Each structure stands twice: as C-alpha cells, then as structure tokens.
Amino acid sequence: MSLISVQGVSKIFRHRKQKSLLRDHLRDMVSQSSNQEEGFYALRDVSFTVQAEEAVALIGANGAGKSTMLALVSGLAEPDTGSIQVNGTIAPLLELGSGFHPDLTGRENLIMNAAILGLNEKQTKERFQAILDFSELADFIDEPLRTYSSGMVLRLAFSIATHCDPSILIIDEILGVGDSNFQGKCQHRIEGLRKEGKTFLVVSHSTYTVRNFCNRAIWLHHGVVVADGPANEVADAYEAFMVDPSQPLPGNLIREAPPEAPVTVAAKGRRQRRSDR
Amino acid sequence: MWTGDYFYLVRKLVIKDFTIRYRHMSLGIFWSLLNPLVMMAVWTYVFTTIFRNSIPHFPLHILSGVITFNFFTVAWQSATTSVLDNAGLIKRNPFRREVIPIASILSNVPHLLIQLGLLVVFVFIGGLGMNIHWLWLPVVWGLELLCLIGLGLACSAIYVVVRDMRYIVESINLVLFWVVPIVYSFDMVPERMRPLYQFNPIAALILATHNIVLQGRSPSTILLAKLAAVSVISMVLGLIIFRRVERKFYEYL
C-alpha cells in the first residue's frame, strides 16, 4: 500500500494585489470582473506515489513548486484539482521550532513544541529525557530561550522534531544544523530513522544529500514533473541542466506554452475538497 | 493528518500565553487586580458625588460590570488577531486551525478567575454573602464563553482576508460599553427597549450577575433563554464562517 498518493494535482496561486483591505473586497463586489483573477500554476497535473520506507527527494530550481508540494502533502493547503491521500502519521518538519517563544525557558518551549507536533502529555514525559540528551542542552534547559545561541535553538528544535515518531517525515532543507559535530549527529539520527523504516519526503538543493540519502528523486520544473526515477540518475540530469539550461529537459516533459504565462481562473467554485478529509 | 491530543494542545497554549503575560511583571497578578479597582473607585466617585444615583450597592454594581465587560472585549480582540499573530505556526503545522482562536479566548480565563476572586472579596466586604443562586454563575459564564468562541472564530478568520476587521471590532467595543448596564442600571433602560436589550450577550451576562450576586435571586428564564440562543447561534455561525474562510489561509497568511 502506498503511503502517499498524489493524483493529478494542480495548485494555482492567484496574484493578489494587496487584496486584504475592505475597500478591495467592496470594489470586487461592485465590479464586473469579480469572478476573474490572474494566477499561475504552482503545480500542474502532478502525480506520484510514495511507498513505505522510500526516501524521496523533490528537486528543482527556486519557484518550481517543491515547497508547495510539501504543504499539500502535509495538509496545510488544498489542491485546486486532483486528490492527495496520505496513509500514516505525518511530521511536517518544514520549519524547526515553530511556536518557540524567547521568554519561555528551554523546557517550556520543548513541551510546547512537542504538543504542537502532536505529542500528548504521556509521550512528552516519556521522551523528555531522550530529547534533552540528544540536544546536549541539559545545563541550559531552564534558561530563557533568548539567552540561547541560534545553534542551540536549532539543536533543541531538531531534537524535538526527530523524537516525535511519525511514519512519514516531511523535511524542507533541515538535514544539518549546528556545528559540524552536531551536524554529524543529525545526519546519524536521520539515517537511523531511515533504517528504522520511516518514509521520507524531502526538499533539498544539495544533490549530494539527494544522492546519498534518498533512493528516488522527483524533479519539478515550473510546477511540472520532468523526471521521476532513481536518485542518482535524476540528480545527474538535474546537475547537467543547471550547468547548461539550454539543454533539452528529460523525456517525459511536454514543453508547452511557457508555464509562467498568466492563466485566468475562476476565483470561486473551482475548489475540490481533499478526498481524505 | 495531525494525530495529537487537542485538549492537551489547547491547555499548553493557554498556559504558554499566561506565563508569557506575567513573566515580565514584577508585581504579577497585582496589575490585573488594580485596573478594575481603579475603575470602580473613579466611577463610584463620579456617579455618586457628581451625578447622583440611587442604584443599590453601586461599587459592586460597577465592579461586576467592569470585570465582565473587560473580559469580553479583551478576549474578543485577542481572538480576532490570533490567527494572523500565529501565522507561522499555522502555515507549518497541520493541526485544526480552530485551536488558535479558542486557545486565545481561554487564555483570558485565568485572568478572569483572579478578578472574579476579587469580586467575591468585595461582595463579602459589602456585607452580602454567597447564596444558592451562585450555582447559576458557571452556567451563564459557560454560555458567554460559547458566544465568545463563536465570535472569535468568525472574526479571526475574517481578519485574515479583511485586515480592517480589527478596527471594526474595536469600534464595536466602544459602542458596546454604552449598551451594557455598568454605569446605569437595567431599570433606567426605556421599557420598550428592554426585551431587545437582553439579547446583547454581555448585557445579559451582567444582568444575570447582578441578579445573582447583588439581588440574591436566579436570573429570569427569559434572560437565560435569550443568552443561550444568542450563544448557540454565535457558535454555529462562527464555525461555519471559520470553515469557509479557512481554505484561503494558506494563500493569505
């Protein structure tokens, strides 16, 4: 059974010209063009599935839709068309330490962040010591977070994030925080989780990480999947393309109208609910 | 899919908010007691010495009104901005978004309990005691919280797409002060306005508190029914609005 199944997903971002003031909404209400907005495809007809124990990398240039894809799979946003099914618990580690507050102590932040990541009281108690040990911050845990160096904050955040035991980890460029010593420890921890049979969906700009950590890579180019295959092959093709962008893109790309060209979309009534919610 | 424990998360968010608020105050909760006391003293002076009135237990009348009104307005305003204030959290974590405005309202409750404790002290100083009707207090406050959560859900969602919402709420609160019986009593409200007046959820709560604490009787059934109706409607509408607007959060935050 596939853990993540993405079928024909498109996501359109509308160009909002500062449309969060009352006068904009009033203007929309009275003007004729209220149903038409300019937008662009952040993702266009993307399909893939991820099986258990795979480590899949999403690669591509800035603005290719990688982070949007992660947000959709994590359930943070909804696709405009298509469906996404996820079987399993997800830990979206898109930003380390979300909800950290500088005035709270390390301990208070740890407990708060664990609750946000979905740990309950019992689980937090059980794992507290492991998290603390891994972060190597035992001496500072009752100091306010504002007295921590940025490396220490990241160490704490990384420890919490990797101890919440999900079946699928969604990671946006965090494979390595702190000094080189701690970075090694992070690598080790992530690889340990990988060996335990966790499934990974990661975004990375480092083809080194992609080759060494992932077994499969999906290359997104302006919101379209141009390649999906073994990590090494896709990374090779991607690197060659980055060196010389005039090269033709790999096989299954349809080089149609430039994807940046604005599309006109109906602002209302095109939404399709995610099937699993 | 977020599989955590929502009650635990809300509890932690409430504690977090409370801790942060009081950490930098050397006198801690003293400040939350001082504000209503000052208002009680000033208004009692103004409305007994400058404007004469014959409302019984006037200082208590004001204190119970001020505590209720302040709680309502502060909780409503903090809930309204809560989703936007926590944009980072919401954009990166897939828990149900309703948690944020609900926690924001509930984090004002510890503060409220401290002030209600103050009210109890003054009730005894004023020579009034507790009575069996005090059992109504948790009921009317529960209904009020339901009403506030509905309002908070609706306004916090709308604030994400219409940034003027915050000022609208602030302006409504300014008007609202004069539509609740704090510096006057319900008897002074024109007779034909009274049935409508009772639909105002804060007015209804203050009236019920006055009934229970000052007059030692249970609130009228009609008042309770109106408060309950307004609260349930607010909650249902709030949820509907929140769920509709929620889909736009990712793009607007």
Side-chain angles (χ1 to χ4, degrees):
Chain A
M1 184 182 65
S2 55
L3 286 192
I4 303 171
S5 164
V6 174
Q7 296 303 328
V9 162
S10 297
K11 177 78 186 167
I12 297 162
F13 278 129
R14 288 154 190 85
H15 294 299
R16 282 189 300 119
K17 290 150 193 135
Q18 286 287 310
K19 264 196 180 168
S20 48
L21 293 173
L22 189 58
R23 61 165 185 269
D24 301 320
H25 291 271
L26 289 175
R27 197 186 298 134
D28 275 4
M29 243 177 260
V30 291
S31 75
Q32 282 295 310
S33 63
S34 63
N35 288 328
Q36 308 268 295
E37 278 180 73
E38 295 240 300
F40 65 94
Y41 279 98
L43 291 168
R44 189 193 297 232
D45 197 21
V46 173
S47 300
F48 63 89
T49 57
V50 177
Q51 309 298 325
E53 305 195 14
E54 270 193 302
V56 179
L58 294 175
I59 57 175
N62 287 331
K66 306 183 295 293
S67 295
T68 306
M69 196 65 244
L70 292 192
L72 292 175
V73 172
S74 307
L76 297 167
E78 285 178 40
D80 287 278
T81 61
S83 71
I84 295 174
Q85 283 213 340
V86 176
N87 303 305
T89 54
I90 285 195
L93 311 181
L94 302 181
E95 183 187 68
L96 285 173
S98 52
F100 272 8
H101 194 284
D103 286 337
L104 295 177
T105 65
R107 183 189 302 273
E108 286 164 337
N109 274 307
L110 190 164
I111 292 170
M112 185 69 240
N113 192 238
I116 289 167
L117 291 175
L119 292 194
N120 62 30
E121 191 161 19
K122 189 164 155 276
Q123 290 166 325
T124 309
K125 275 196 183 119
E126 283 165 5
R127 296 173 203 181
F128 184 83
Q129 200 54 44
I131 296 172
L132 193 56
D133 291 345
F134 188 85
S135 70
E136 302 171 9
L137 288 167
D139 294 342
F140 309 96
I141 198 69
D142 289 312
E143 300 290 324
L145 203 75
R146 70 188 128 80
T147 64
Y148 285 29
S149 71
S150 53
M152 286 158 79
V153 173
L154 284 176
R155 263 151 64 187
L156 182 63
F158 183 89
S159 300
I160 306 165
T162 53
H163 281 84
C164 56
D165 201 31
S167 52
I168 306 165
L169 281 101
I170 305 236
I171 304 181
D172 196 348
E173 286 289 13
I174 56 162
L175 299 171
V177 295
D179 56 25
S180 60
N181 207 354
F182 193 76
Q183 259 183 34
K185 207 171 158 185
C186 292
Q187 295 286 350
H188 192 72
R189 171 82 189 153
I190 294 266
E191 271 150 27
L193 289 169
R194 174 108 167 75
K195 287 201 189 85
E196 279 174 34
K198 307 287 186 207
T199 305
F200 284 80
L201 185 62
V202 301
V203 159
S204 182
H205 283 289
S206 148
T207 42
Y208 176 82
T209 309
V210 173
R211 287 170 201 276
N212 287 288
F213 181 71
C214 301
N215 61 341
R216 182 176 150 206
I218 296 170
W219 174 6
L220 287 170
H221 184 72
H222 291 300
V224 181
V225 176
V226 293
D228 179 353
N232 275 324
E233 287 174 27
V234 178
D236 284 344
Y238 177 64
E239 271 174 344
F241 178 77
M242 290 309 272
V243 172
D244 179 12
S246 66
Q247 284 198 351
L249 288 153
N252 55 348
L253 172 75
I254 315 106
R255 238 195 176 157
E256 47 184 39
E260 305 96 301
V263 288
T264 306
V265 294
K268 287 159 196 145
R270 281 265 312 259
R271 294 280 168 125
Q272 193 180 314
R273 295 287 293 175
R274 274 167 54 125
S275 55
D276 61 335
R277 281 215 279 188
Chain B
M1 238 11 38
W2 199 83
T3 51
D5 178 344
Y6 279 107
F7 285 103
Y8 178 66
L9 177 61
V10 169
R11 209 168 80 219
K12 283 291 158 200
L13 285 168
V14 169
I15 293 172
K16 172 191 173 189
D17 206 76
F18 190 77
T19 320
I20 292 168
R21 193 178 306 176
Y22 286 104
R23 185 145 290 175
H24 286 307
M25 297 185 187
S26 48
L27 294 173
I29 56 170
F30 171 76
W31 293 114
S32 58
L33 299 178
L34 191 68
N35 176 288
L37 282 180
V38 168
M39 279 173 133
M40 178 177 76
V42 171
W43 287 345
T44 302
Y45 179 77
V46 170
F47 288 100
T48 54
T49 323
I50 300 178
F51 298 98
R52 307 247 165 224
N53 79 74
S54 57
I55 300 170
H57 308 294
F58 192 62
L60 286 175
H61 178 93
I62 286 194
L63 190 61
S64 52
V66 163
I67 289 174
T68 310
F69 181 77
N70 281 357
F71 170 75
F72 191 93
T73 54
V74 171
W76 188 12
Q77 277 173 21
S78 67
T80 299
T81 57
S82 64
V83 170
L84 209 61
D85 290 344
N86 289 290
L89 210 55
I90 286 178
K91 267 199 104 166
R92 297 284 176 246
N93 294 281
F95 54 73
R96 287 224 66 90
R97 280 80 182 84
E98 287 88 341
V99 165
I100 294 293
I102 290 174
S104 169
I105 283 169
L106 294 182
S107 63
N108 287 291
V109 170
H111 189 77
L112 170 73
L113 292 177
I114 294 166
Q115 296 195 336
L116 287 178
L118 180 78
L119 179 65
V120 172
V121 170
F122 272 82
V123 163
F124 280 105
I125 291 174
L128 294 165
M130 281 200 185
N131 56 60
I132 185 74
H133 304 293
W134 280 52
L135 292 175
W136 278 108
L137 282 175
V139 177
V140 289
W141 274 101
L143 287 172
E144 191 73 8
L145 275 178
L146 200 64
C147 175
L148 255 176
I149 289 174
L151 263 179
L153 284 172
C155 294
S156 62
I158 295 170
Y159 183 49
V160 173
V161 290
V162 188
R163 301 286 157 95
D164 309 61
M165 196 60 206
R166 177 186 187 163
Y167 305 106
I168 296 173
V169 171
E170 280 171 18
S171 306
I172 292 175
N173 279 336
L174 281 179
V175 177
L176 212 52
F177 179 81
W178 300 102
V179 200
V180 294
I182 298 179
V183 293
Y184 56 84
S185 74
F186 188 54
D187 304 333
M188 299 176 187
V189 177
E191 193 118 24
R192 59 191 179 83
M193 306 282 275
R194 285 184 201 169
L196 190 64
Y197 190 89
Q198 287 177 324
F199 275 110
N200 173 355
I202 322 180
L205 180 63
I206 295 178
L207 289 175
T209 310
H210 286 163
N211 289 156
I212 297 162
V213 176
L214 303 181
Q215 294 143 17
R217 60 186 176 84
S218 59
S220 70
T221 317
I222 190 87
L223 184 69
L224 289 172
K226 283 177 180 171
L227 179 58
V230 170
S231 299
V232 170
I233 291 170
S234 159
M235 187 69 201
V236 171
L237 275 181
L239 261 181
I240 292 173
I241 292 172
F242 194 89
R243 291 269 159 93
R244 280 196 69 136
V245 183
E246 186 189 22
R247 289 174 229 165
K248 295 185 180 171
F249 281 4
Y250 189 77
E251 281 168 65
Y252 274 82
L253 286 176

